[in-house]
Amino acid sequence: MDYLGFMGVVHTDINDPRRTEFCEIIASLISKLIQYAPIDNAVDQLGSGHIHSSLPPCLTDREKARGVWEQGCRLVGQGQVQHGTELTLESQVKLVRYGVVR
């Protein structure tokens, strides 16, 4: 725990050879870590999380009953909606559940 005597924000302005040696050791260890880090697995996990968060929520039957799905709304092409309700600036919209904004 000797490093606490020369490392940390409180010691950033101090010119101490121990700081230089400590930083060199850390840099060496981090460069070695790259050889063993599962970078491809980490990227796959990040990508999977991104895809998961980009998907629309899976609605329960109760949630579907409260929305446009049970009203028969269908996209018939060129942005035209059949059997739908038109949204205006005065329309009130409620999120299906907490955390669902997509």
Side-chain angles (χ1 to χ4, degrees):
M1 296 258 279
D2 182 43
Y3 66 92
L4 294 176
F6 57 89
M7 293 302 296
V9 175
V10 71
H11 300 290
T12 55
D13 295 336
I14 297 172
N15 188 9
D16 187 330
R18 295 178 299 171
R19 287 183 56 78
T20 304
E21 181 183 5
F22 186 86
C23 290
E24 288 172 356
I25 291 170
I26 295 297
S28 171
L29 291 172
I30 289 175
S31 68
K32 289 178 184 179
L33 180 63
I34 295 296
Q35 298 172 15
Y36 302 101
I39 295 171
D40 287 323
N41 291 345
V43 170
D44 288 346
Q45 288 178 4
L46 287 170
S48 175
H50 175 71
I51 290 169
H52 176 76
S53 65
S54 299
L55 294 173
C58 184
L59 300 177
T60 65
D61 290 337
R62 184 175 179 189
E63 291 169 340
K64 286 180 187 177
R66 294 180 181 172
V68 296
W69 292 270
E70 295 298 320
Q71 298 175 14
C73 292
R74 299 288 177 260
L75 185 62
V76 293
Q78 302 299 323
Q80 300 297 317
V81 178
Q82 186 179 39
H83 306 296
T85 303
E86 187 172 329
L87 295 177
T88 66
L89 294 175
E90 289 78 32
S91 297
Q92 293 185 0
V93 178
K94 184 176 180 181
L95 298 179
V96 174
R97 69 177 95 104
Y98 175 79
V100 177
V101 292
R102 1 174 235 276

